[in-house]
Amino acid sequence: MQAKKTREEVQKINMIDTWLKKHRLIYFGATRHPFILSIRDGTVNLSSFKTWLGQDYIFVRAFVSFVASVLIKASKESDDSGGDMEVLLGGMAALNDEIQWFKIEASKWGVQLSDIVPQKANKDYCRFLESLMSSEVKYTMAITAFWAIEAVYQQSFAHCLEDGTNTPSDLQATCQRWGNDGFGQYCHSLKQIVNRRLAKASDDEIKKAEVALLDVLEHEVEFWNMSCGGA
Ligand SMILES: Cc1ncc(CN)c(N)n1
């Protein structure tokens, strides 16, 4: 007969959900930010939307380098039992589409991407990504941050697509980009990889991954604040 699992062992099997419960206030702050709620109820300020669009284009370009570094860490450290490479390569391909999408949207909204100067919150976030690209940072910590970055957008924009929302028709495509079921499935695959890594990680690695999650959530809140003109 199998020994009954301790509370800690059960929590370690789905570490992400344990953390999301523990840090629900900051998670809520990142995924239900006033900027997102204003898209959802149709009161969004279009100048804030354009600020977000231009700044996010710059962020995504930095994000590509970060994802490449996660891919390298996976090739060195992962046993790949969960098909990590496939999931990460799929993510890379999605980012290529994302960059093309930003270019098309920017010209639609009259945003000149070559003129965009990164704002402080964006520069801080990109600097954080760079710190995670160091070879000192282990795969488990980096993939936790990667999942969190994607999951915040998925959860935020999916919220704008629920029944009964007032999301403006010309912003539906933006919300679909990250709120669609395929992107939800991709985030779920990333979450499974993270949970699998964390279940086998040392206490020190788990602590570092939890700090990375909190850092991502704080940067995401600051990024939304900046889009509303707050930073
Ligand atoms: C700030 C931010 N966070 C997340 C994502 C989703 N790739 C994004 N485009 N921008």
Side-chain angles (χ1 to χ4, degrees):
M1 208 174 79
Q2 257 191 337
K4 198 166 178 287
K5 288 194 168 50
T6 63
R7 191 156 174 256
E8 283 73 30
E9 281 169 335
V10 171
Q11 285 180 339
K12 239 182 142 183
I13 291 171
N14 192 339
M15 207 65 212
I16 296 278
D17 284 348
T18 304
W19 285 343
L20 294 186
K21 271 190 214 125
K22 183 175 164 192
H23 303 299
R24 59 186 167 279
L25 277 185
I26 169 96
Y27 184 65
F28 199 75
T31 56
R32 300 290 183 265
H33 188 275
F35 177 67
I36 283 297
L37 298 182
S38 74
I39 293 179
R40 192 179 195 263
D41 68 15
T43 62
V44 61
N45 178 328
L46 286 183
S47 130
S48 298
F49 179 76
K50 288 186 198 180
T51 301
W52 166 79
L53 191 73
Q55 292 293 321
D56 210 35
Y57 171 73
I58 295 178
F59 174 83
V60 171
R61 293 181 73 97
F63 189 54
V64 171
S65 307
F66 166 67
V67 179
S69 79
V70 179
L71 203 68
I72 292 169
K73 290 185 206 294
S75 73
K76 291 184 180 156
E77 295 178 52
S78 168
D79 57 12
D80 211 21
S81 56
D84 300 22
M85 275 300 178
E86 256 174 63
V87 177
L88 290 169
L89 284 170
M92 269 290 194
L95 280 173
N96 185 32
D97 292 348
E98 207 167 298
I99 287 181
Q100 301 317 316
W101 178 85
F102 271 105
K103 289 181 184 164
I104 294 167
E105 282 300 301
S107 80
K108 214 165 86 185
W109 290 93
V111 174
Q112 192 63 44
L113 291 175
S114 54
D115 292 349
I116 305 289
V117 177
Q119 293 188 26
K120 183 177 181 303
N122 201 355
K123 283 198 263 187
D124 290 347
Y125 204 172
C126 292
R127 219 171 287 127
F128 168 69
L129 291 184
E130 260 172 52
S131 73
L132 293 176
M133 288 163 63
S134 154
S135 56
E136 305 282 299
V137 173
K138 293 274 198 246
Y139 175 50
T140 303
M141 181 180 175
I143 188 109
T144 302
F146 181 30
W147 160 78
I149 293 167
E150 296 291 49
V152 167
Y153 262 43
Q154 192 273 327
Q155 289 287 308
S156 300
F157 286 109
H159 190 51
C160 301
L161 294 172
E162 289 165 358
D163 287 344
T165 57
N166 241 341
T167 299
S169 56
D170 47 3
L171 299 189
Q172 288 279 342
T174 301
C175 299
Q176 279 291 343
R177 164 116 237 124
W178 292 279
N180 74 75
D181 291 344
F183 198 77
Q185 186 49 53
Y186 160 62
C187 290
H188 182 70
S189 303
L190 284 175
K191 183 178 170 183
Q192 281 180 319
I193 295 173
V194 176
N195 272 329
R196 182 171 45 76
R197 296 285 310 179
L198 290 169
K200 290 192 277 179
S202 66
D203 287 350
D204 180 55
E205 275 184 302
I206 293 176
K207 196 75 237 152
K208 284 182 174 155
E210 185 176 8
V211 170
L213 163 64
L214 290 173
D215 284 342
V216 166
L217 296 177
E218 277 168 22
H219 281 296
E220 289 288 342
V221 170
E222 288 304 321
F223 202 91
W224 296 131
N225 287 344
M226 168 197 71
S227 304
C228 297

